[in-house]
Amino acid sequence: MEAVLPFNSQNFSADLSIDSQPVSAKDLTRHILRIGFPANALENEYALGATLFTNTTLQGAVNSIIASEQIDALFVHPDQLTPALQPLKTLAKAQAIPLVVYSAKYDQQCRELALKNGVDDYFYGSITAAYLKRLEFITKLKNYKNKRGNKPYVKQAMDDAPKIKLWALKRTFDILVSGTALLFLSPIMLLVALLIKLESKGPVFYISKRAGSGYKIFDFYKFRSMRIGADAELAKLAHLNQYSEQTDGSVFFKLKNDPRVSRLGQVLRDTSLDELPQLINVLKGDMSLVGNRPLPLYEAEKLTKDQIAWRFLAPAGITGLWQVTKRGKENMSEEERIQLDMEYAMNNSFLYDMKIFVGTFPALIQKQRV
């Protein structure tokens, strides 16, 4: 984990120390401008790894971009969401610089105002390495839009009101179904948890960091189906990767007849019971019932380039297009899986989700152990 140290951003040319190693401004890999924040407000200012945060004004930010200074993101105070922000928005769009409204604590009104003003993101709290990854994704996505002439994304052609209604309908469906499912399936989940405990020592749940919609990183829940320490064995089992024979430098990693899976774990995987804890992710809002599969970070980092990054525009989901069409089949290529994710990202709708959701049930029982 990168170090997080207090930093006085009033003087960009000043040296700072990270892990007792002096780092000067010229050595920094990221430079983020904070616009409209009090110069003496240090509690929310950080040097994170080799990232420097500098306080400035709207005009100062405009001048920095025009002068071709290294600017990797713009954090704007909510008070700056006025018509005076437009010149900076225009420059940020042209230069593919993420424009983010930031507040120290979550504020629903601030979030709504940010979305209304068409900025790239709203963020609150401490800046983390995970959020810096999201900024990289936003940058690549904006670059891609600029390269394709900023042609409208299929769903962006819709008016704001229909989009909000569509999201509300999808979210309502997710809450109702996941909440009801958790209620009725709780006896089965308790039984599975007991069986896992009886079979081997270790936690009941497997929790990992995943990248979901917009490259937002969250804790992803599954019932543990492998022996303890299975993640450390990935390198030794690379030759069993389902995708290794199809693509050099494969993005995805899925094993055939994974030797790390326990006897109970194989039953859970074959019946998809290991996926049930993800209903908690859906209820929390990390995921949807239908969407593109949230990826482990080592896979997600390989997919944030060019048009492939568009797959992260779609909601993260328990089930999705590639699962219902190709799940459990060995002949699924890496290119096919990426294309199916892209197709869903470009064409998802509530009715499309319902079609995929219904098609999920026949796919729950895997025919092959992959």
Side-chain angles (χ1 to χ4, degrees), residues 15-81:
D15 287 351
L16 61 152
S17 178
I18 299 175
D19 292 336
S20 301
Q21 297 296 322
V23 179
S24 65
K26 66 180 181 180
D27 297 323
L28 295 168
T29 58
R30 303 183 191 90
H31 183 198
I32 298 176
L33 300 185
R34 290 167 41 90
I35 300 159
F37 293 87
N40 60 350
L42 303 180
E43 63 273 16
N44 294 314
E45 297 176 11
Y46 301 97
L48 176 60
T51 301
L52 180 68
F53 293 81
T54 303
N55 278 349
T56 187
T57 62
L58 278 176
Q59 189 57 52
V62 168
N63 293 341
S64 294
I65 296 174
I66 292 175
S68 298
E69 294 181 16
Q70 177 190 336
I71 308 297
D72 297 289
L74 304 163
F75 280 16
V76 179
H77 191 282
D79 290 345
Q80 303 297 308
L81 292 174

Side-chain angles (χ1 to χ4, degrees), residues 222-263:
K222 293 182 73 173
F223 279 126
R224 181 171 61 85
S225 60
M226 298 184 183
R227 56 178 176 249
I228 301 299
D231 284 348
E233 301 177 39
L234 280 178
K236 300 177 183 177
L237 301 172
H239 63 286
L240 298 177
N241 185 8
Q242 174 183 336
Y243 300 99
S244 62
E245 297 177 357
Q246 300 169 347
T247 307
D248 292 335
S250 300
V251 171
F252 303 118
F253 194 97
K254 183 175 278 290
L255 300 182
K256 307 172 184 178
N257 298 313
D258 194 335
R260 302 170 300 164
V261 177
S262 65
R263 285 182 296 177

Side-chain angles (χ1 to χ4, degrees), residues 111-128:
R111 180 180 182 276
E112 292 175 356
L113 189 61
L115 295 177
K116 183 178 179 180
N117 278 268
V119 299
D120 296 310
D121 200 13
Y122 166 68
F123 186 73
Y124 66 96
S126 298
I127 308 302
T128 63

Side-chain angles (χ1 to χ4, degrees), residues 146-163:
N146 289 343
K147 287 178 182 178
R148 69 194 295 267
N150 207 36
K151 295 177 183 178
Y153 170 57
V154 173
K155 300 303 175 190
Q156 290 175 341
M158 303 168 63
D159 294 331
D160 289 341
K163 280 198 293 185

Side-chain angles (χ1 to χ4, degrees), residues 200-214:
S200 63
K201 294 181 180 180
V204 168
F205 297 108
Y206 171 72
I207 303 175
S208 65
K209 296 292 184 183
R210 296 288 177 102
S213 178

Side-chain angles (χ1 to χ4, degrees), residues 317-331:
I318 294 179
T319 186
L321 187 57
W322 80 263
Q323 285 94 336
V324 300
T325 57
K326 290 289 185 179
R327 188 172 188 262
K329 298 179 181 179
E330 292 187 354
N331 64 343

